[in-house]
Amino acid sequence: MRKIKHKLDSRGTKDKIIELFFTKHLKPVDIANKLKVGMPYITKIIQKDSRYIREKETRRQENKEKSKTQKRIYAQNRRKKEKEEKQEYQKLLVQINRDNEYLSTKKKENDLQFVNCNRSAYDYDKNSSDLVLKANINAGYAVPKRVSNIVNPNMIKSNKICV
């Protein structure tokens, strides 16, 4: 107990606290951890110094400026992200419109386009040269069950799925 009291009362510790706070601009918490001294003791020493009020105001202004900068950077990043998302959305709309135009043409062409998009769902029938929907696939009435006049089915090898 005497060692701790002696350490706290020593002139060197007070000078060290004042130096760390006013010249190196450390926070009282950091000073307490560095010197292994209690926070109330550090606060008491710092507040007795005549430079305390100016230092406190200076730090307050620095924190305000830092906060403004961080808010500005956050807003810029947010706007940039929103702009990128909006551009991606516009690209998606253009792609959807292009696909709608592509799939809403004549019936024969539409069936072939559907097969192009969903080639893995069809098997080639060598006898009739047609592409036939696989037996294990349950599909609605709008899905073509058979697409005729396929000359070379290996040319239709699309892995993409059209929706």
Side-chain angles (χ1 to χ4, degrees), residues 57-71:
E57 189 59 35
T58 304
R59 290 183 184 204
R60 184 178 289 133
Q61 289 300 323
E62 289 172 0
N63 287 338
K64 262 187 182 179
E65 292 300 319
K66 198 183 296 183
S67 176
K68 281 182 186 179
T69 304
Q70 289 174 344
K71 284 180 183 178

Side-chain angles (χ1 to χ4, degrees), residues 27-39 42:
K27 297 177 185 176
V29 175
D30 298 334
I31 296 170
N33 290 337
K34 189 171 186 172
L35 298 178
K36 308 275 192 278
V37 177
M39 277 286 299
I42 293 172

Side-chain angles (χ1 to χ4, degrees), residues 40-73:
Y41 179 72
I42 293 172
T43 306
K44 187 168 111 177
I45 290 174
I46 292 170
Q47 288 177 347
K48 285 182 182 178
D49 196 294
S50 60
R51 301 173 286 179
Y52 176 71
I53 295 173
R54 279 182 294 167
E55 182 69 21
K56 188 174 178 180
E57 189 59 35
T58 304
R59 290 183 184 204
R60 184 178 289 133
Q61 289 300 323
E62 289 172 0
N63 287 338
K64 262 187 182 179
E65 292 300 319
K66 198 183 296 183
S67 176
K68 281 182 186 179
T69 304
Q70 289 174 344
K71 284 180 183 178
R72 185 173 53 249
I73 290 170

Side-chain angles (χ1 to χ4, degrees), residues 83-96:
K83 184 178 178 182
E84 289 172 356
E85 288 175 352
K86 192 173 184 180
Q87 289 174 344
E88 287 295 320
Y89 180 72
Q90 293 300 324
K91 287 179 186 176
L92 183 63
L93 288 178
V94 168
Q95 183 65 37
I96 288 171

